[in-house]
Amino acid sequence: MIDFTNVSITYSGASSPVLRGVTLHVPEGELCLVIGATGSGKSSLLGAVNGLVPHFTGGRLSGSVTVAGRNTRDHPPRELADVVGVVGQNPSASFLADTVEDELAYTMESLGLAADVMRRRVEDTLDLLGLVALRDRAVATLSGGEAQRVAIGAVLTAHPQILVLDEPTSALDPAAAEDVLAALQRLVHDLGMTVLLAEHRLERVVQHADSVVWLPGDGTAVRGTPAQIMAHSPITPPIVSLGRELAWTPLPLTVRDARIPGRRLREVLPPEPPTDPPRIPGAILAETRALTVRYGGVLALRRAGFVAREGEIVAVMGRNGAGKSSLLAALTGLLKPAEGQVRIAGRDPRELRGRELTSHVGLVPQQPGDLLYAETVHAECAAADRDARAPRGTAGGLLHRIAGALDLDLHPRDLSEGQRLALALAVVLTSAPPLVLLDEPTRGLDYPAKERLVHTLVGLAGAGHAVVLATHDVELAAEVSTRTVVLAGGEIVADGPSRQVVTQSPVFAPQIAKVLAPLPYLTVRDVRRALAAVPG
């Protein structure tokens, strides 16, 4: 169905190809997972399948890519649209209609399908992806996760033979992600669709894959079964990392696989994991009192009382549309409360302007590119230094610490999603705001980049900043947060120490907690430290 034959892709100005001599075959009716570090070429590989590379992205492609018998060199994307459906990393950027139902129908209208066929397919897709309640919603009012599901649905209504998805669960809460992945499996198993999917959150998807293509970052590609690739890849989900560390055979790919060896592990682990001395929170930096936020007739937050203190890392979790982004927007003064109060350093953030606001609070939004406007990464960093009146090189140093080495001459739009996030975070942190807000900060980040982000956030908290993360990434919350707040229907339904809150929730519990329950272990690091302390 998909064939790469000695494919190399080189972009103008690049010192080496992003893909080099790649040959692989993805058969019909297979779910193939593409993994690799940020910037390893995943998006380029996916873009080559529908002809975006090189017809629209530029660069030079050698070798051949054949899709359903069509060579992409001879067939631009418009001539492949009937066989290849694509959902990108930023789904809302692809919306062309005003409402969800119209967006689902748009592609079929472009293909000239009959009205009765369109109607039936729209209804099927609404049911398949759980979008019935959203059918009349304006696409501009959708949360990030809702927009992701609508974008997938808009592609599915055309009934393509191949579905290509770039980070399809990155903006989804755990339950919604499972719903989407289950729907993709039904498409593969029942309809014989071929799905090519790039994803960083392997804990969600590796168990659903028939095969895995690993891009090591040197331009090559390695294809194998999930078990074969996970045995050697440096990029692994927590239970695979634990299984490799403890030499479990066979290597577990799912929580269920890990429960049998997990029982034996529970017998030797102490009842409580060793922990670092607790950080004592300092002064209140941000507070909401009976905060209510409405979007027209939609109630986003209902009488929410929230506090963030110096030295805290607070994870704000909840289903898509629960009010997480609304809470962060209110804390920056972007939203006017319908009721209640918001205070940043004792003041209403809507009264603060320009540098006065950024000196108190910094927000990295779900779409980090919204903060970037310069022509190069270097110019973006230099502008951040000037705006913050920081020493030259401050933003660049932060960027290197978070993302590693980057080509500073690249345009920000040419960065991967994770690299753009790292750049936006460096720009925000250059002003050293006491309150740092991040909306889905690990979207597009690989595991090494996430580790660097964790190190950065812990350093901020240690320096007295308050960090608030609105996130669906339960592994990040387990690794870094000191406190977890859970929102549901716009209300705060849980607020307490992270180890206590996440272990009590089957939806928001990390993989290690599910394997070792009822012991309160959250991470591989917890287990490693505990075993090191066991005599003998």
Side-chain angles (χ1 to χ4, degrees):
M1 182 58 68
I2 302 172
D3 285 287
F4 281 63
T5 304
N6 197 28
V7 171
S8 296
I9 298 173
T10 307
Y11 293 106
S12 177
S15 58
S16 61
V18 65
L19 295 179
R20 184 199 311 268
V22 171
T23 296
L24 60 90
H25 170 68
V26 180
E28 181 180 356
E30 181 171 287
L31 195 159
C32 178
L33 172 64
V34 181
I35 69 172
T38 299
S40 62
K42 298 187 300 299
S43 294
S44 293
L45 188 146
L46 266 58
V49 173
N50 78 324
L52 284 176
V53 178
H55 291 290
F56 282 86
T57 63
R60 185 177 70 256
L61 184 148
S62 62
S64 67
V65 181
T66 305
V67 179
R70 304 179 195 178
N71 191 314
T72 61
R73 185 185 304 280
D74 304 322
H75 296 271
R78 66 178 179 274
E79 296 177 7
L80 297 169
D82 61 325
V83 292
V84 183
V86 179
V87 180
Q89 290 183 347
N90 182 5
S92 58
S94 67
F95 290 159
L96 298 168
D98 293 328
T99 68
V100 169
E101 188 169 6
D102 289 344
E103 183 63 32
L104 295 181
Y106 185 87
T107 300
M108 293 185 291
E109 290 176 342
S110 302
L111 295 174
L113 298 182
D116 60 333
V117 174
M118 292 169 54
R119 180 68 179 179
R120 185 177 67 252
R121 290 188 184 181
V122 166
E123 294 301 326
D124 289 344
T125 304
L126 289 170
D127 290 334
L128 181 67
L129 296 178
L131 297 170
V132 174
L134 302 178
R135 68 186 310 152
D136 297 321
R137 281 271 299 276
V139 294
T141 67
L142 298 175
S143 70
E146 290 165 344
Q148 187 76 283
R149 284 186 288 155
V150 170
I152 293 172
V155 169
L156 291 183
T157 55
H159 284 194
Q161 298 176 48
I162 298 168
L163 186 60
V164 177
L165 304 107
D166 201 353
E167 301 282 343
T169 75
S170 61
L172 300 182
D173 63 70
E178 282 300 317
D179 288 343
V180 168
L181 291 168
L184 294 177
Q185 277 203 303
R186 287 196 294 273
L187 294 171
V188 171
H189 295 168
D190 297 342
L191 301 179
M193 183 177 289
T194 302
V195 175
L196 191 63
L197 180 157
E199 182 63 73
H200 283 304
R201 296 187 184 177
L202 303 189
E203 64 272 12
R204 291 182 168 183
V205 299
V206 70
Q207 65 268 31
H208 298 290
D210 298 304
S211 65
V212 177
V213 173
W214 168 39
L215 304 182
D218 59 359
T220 63
V222 181
R223 184 177 182 272
T225 67
Q228 289 170 337
I229 299 299
M230 288 298 102
H232 303 287
S233 168
I235 303 168
T236 56
I239 55 171
V240 173
S241 298
L242 182 65
R244 282 169 51 167
E245 194 160 316
L246 300 181
W248 286 351
T249 304
L251 195 65
L253 298 180
T254 69
V255 169
R256 184 181 182 185
D257 293 341
R259 282 205 176 107
I260 293 177
R263 292 192 199 109
R264 297 191 293 271
L265 179 59
R266 286 198 301 270
E267 294 173 359
V268 301
L269 286 173
E272 298 281 341
T275 57
D276 297 324
R279 295 194 293 267
I280 299 175
I284 293 176
L285 294 179
E287 183 176 13
T288 71
R289 302 170 188 166
L291 175 64
T292 298
V293 173
R294 290 189 178 91
Y295 298 97
V298 178
L299 188 64
L301 286 173
R302 186 198 309 268
R303 298 189 61 78
F306 174 82
V307 169
R309 296 179 175 87
E310 293 176 344
E312 279 193 314
I313 302 178
V314 184
V316 181
M317 308 187 76
R319 291 185 294 272
N320 291 112
K324 303 183 298 298
S325 296
S326 296
L327 176 62
L328 266 58
L331 289 171
T332 59
L334 294 174
L335 292 177
K336 179 181 180 181
E339 300 174 21
Q341 294 180 328
V342 181
R343 291 291 181 267
I344 301 294
R347 299 179 62 185
D348 187 334
R350 290 179 299 142
E351 298 174 353
L352 305 176
R353 295 289 184 273
R355 188 175 289 114
E356 187 180 19
L357 177 62
T358 58
S359 67
H360 285 89
V361 57
L363 169 67
V364 179
Q366 280 194 29
Q367 302 301 333
D370 293 347
L371 298 183
L372 308 175
Y373 59 87
E375 293 297 316
T376 66
V377 174
H378 174 76
E380 199 71 61
C381 291
D385 290 342
R386 290 194 303 271
D387 292 344
R389 296 177 182 172
R392 181 181 300 178
T394 299
L398 286 165
L399 177 61
H400 188 272
R401 198 152 58 236
I402 299 167
L406 285 181
D407 184 349
L408 299 184
D409 292 326
L410 286 175
H411 194 289
R413 68 164 175 261
D414 294 328
L415 300 176
S416 71
E417 189 79 7
Q419 291 167 335
R420 270 195 300 274
L421 171 65
L423 178 56
L425 181 57
V427 167
V428 167
L429 294 183
T430 300
S431 296
L435 177 64
V436 179
L437 310 175
L438 301 102
D439 201 351
E440 292 298 339
T442 57
R443 186 175 182 179
L445 290 188
D446 57 34
Y447 290 109
K450 191 188 296 187
E451 289 178 10
R452 292 192 293 268
L453 175 64
V454 166
H455 180 76
T456 299
L457 299 182
V458 169
L460 287 171
H465 297 258
V467 180
V468 181
L469 316 167
T471 184
H472 294 307
D473 190 338
V474 297
E475 304 298 338
L476 174 72
E479 190 72 44
V480 73
S481 66
T482 54
R483 191 173 122 231
T484 294
V485 173
V486 179
L487 283 165
E491 296 184 89
I492 293 177
V493 297
D495 185 348
S498 293
R499 195 172 296 277
Q500 173 184 322
V501 172
V502 301
T503 53
Q504 293 175 351
S505 170
V507 175
F508 298 111
Q511 284 192 319
I512 301 302
K514 292 177 180 179
V515 171
L516 299 180
L519 298 183
Y521 286 75
L522 301 184
T523 66
V524 175
R525 179 172 174 265
D526 282 348
V527 176
R528 185 183 301 120
R529 294 176 66 183
L531 291 177
V534 174

